[in-house]
Amino acid sequence: MIRIIALLILVVPGFLAGVGIKLMRDMLFGILQPPFPFLWMQFIAGLLLFLGGLGFVAGFIFRRDRKQDKVQPKFQNKE
């Protein structure tokens, strides 16, 4: 049950990162999506979505590995 919850927690930021990649790609090809009035604004929103989603997934995995002592010594908790 916990694994399913963890998967669901990771699906939403992963989806948002995918949307961010799509927005950035559309900007490079000159396709303006409806909620954005300018291409540069669409690119910035896509970049923020991508970095936010990627950062959340990376932080989730890093925290899980830190709890299980699967990281290098320099990344382990200093308690």
Side-chain angles (χ1 to χ4, degrees), residues 2-61:
I2 293 176
R3 290 180 190 229
I4 293 174
I5 293 171
L7 177 66
L8 290 175
I9 290 172
L10 291 177
V11 165
V12 174
F15 178 75
L16 291 177
V19 169
I21 289 172
K22 182 195 179 311
L23 288 174
M24 290 188 292
R25 183 197 65 193
D26 287 349
M27 191 287 293
L28 289 175
F29 290 116
I31 302 169
L32 187 62
Q33 297 298 327
F36 301 104
F38 304 109
L39 284 174
W40 61 267
M41 192 179 294
Q42 177 177 321
F43 182 81
I44 297 296
L47 185 64
L48 290 175
L49 283 172
F50 173 69
L51 292 177
L54 183 67
F56 185 85
V57 171
F60 185 88
I61 293 171

